[in-house]
Amino acid sequence: MLKIKVNDYIRTKKGSIAKICAYQDLKTYDENNIGVTFHSFDTDKGTIADIEVLKHSSNIIDLIEEGDIIVLKDGRKYEVLKMSWSKLKGRHIHIINPLRLEGGKDIFIDDIKSIVTKEMFKSVEYRMETN
C-alpha cells in the first residue's frame, strides 16, 4: 500500500468513503520480540484501521465505482454507469438516471453533492420475501 497522507480520501472494504484527518503508526511486539506496525487513520467518519482500506487517492473521484449512486448539487440522483478518462475531459463519470429517462451524460467532481457507495446501499436494503 502506498503511503496514505492527511487530506487523502479512502474507500473501505465495506464501502465507506472518508477523508484522512490524521494517522498513527502503532508498533506491537510478540513474545519473540518481533515487531509489527499497524496504521490507524483518524477520519471525518471515525477511526479506520489500515486493513480496512480498499483504496485511496488525493482525488475523491478516483474512489467512485460503477454501481455507486451520486447525488448532484441540484438534488438529482444517478447511478454510475462507467468511469472514464480522456485527455480533453480528465477523469469523469458516465451516469444513468434511475428512471432511464436520460443517459450518456458526463459528470465531474464539481457537480457532485454526495456519494452512496453500492456497498452502503446494499447494507440498508430491505429484501422482499419471494414465494
Side-chain angles (χ1 to χ4, degrees), residues 21 57 66 77 97-98 103 114 118:
C21 301
S57 176
E66 294 173 15
K77 298 169 184 71
N97 181 290
S114 61
K118 57 190 170 202

Side-chain angles (χ1 to χ4, degrees), residues 30-96:
D30 66 9
E31 63 276 357
N32 297 321
N33 206 26
I34 297 174
V36 177
T37 303
F38 296 95
H39 308 283
S40 175
F41 301 103
D42 294 327
T43 74
D44 57 352
K45 304 284 183 168
T47 302
I48 298 174
D50 62 346
I51 60 171
E52 294 299 317
V53 176
L54 180 63
K55 56 186 174 177
H56 75 281
S57 176
S58 59
N59 189 344
I60 197 168
I61 200 168
D62 295 334
L63 304 182
I64 299 172
E65 297 179 352
E66 294 173 15
D68 290 347
I69 305 295
I70 56 172
V71 180
L72 301 183
K73 291 179 180 172
D74 65 10
R76 291 181 293 163
K77 298 169 184 71
Y78 294 95
E79 178 182 348
V80 175
L81 172 64
K82 185 172 93 172
M83 300 300 298
S84 294
W85 184 91
S86 72
K87 201 174 204 177
L88 180 64
K89 297 180 183 178
R91 187 121 167 103
H92 59 282
I93 302 166
H94 298 281
I95 51 90
I96 299 176

Side-chain angles (χ1 to χ4, degrees), residues 107-119:
I107 301 295
F108 301 91
I109 198 65
D110 293 340
D111 303 321
I112 299 173
K113 177 182 175 184
S114 61
I115 304 161
V116 179
T117 65
K118 57 190 170 202
E119 297 89 353

Side-chain angles (χ1 to χ4, degrees), residues 116-130:
V116 179
T117 65
K118 57 190 170 202
E119 297 89 353
M120 297 305 288
F121 191 77
K122 186 160 184 64
S123 75
V124 296
E125 90 179 330
Y126 176 80
R127 288 209 168 258
M128 303 299 288
E129 296 287 330
T130 56

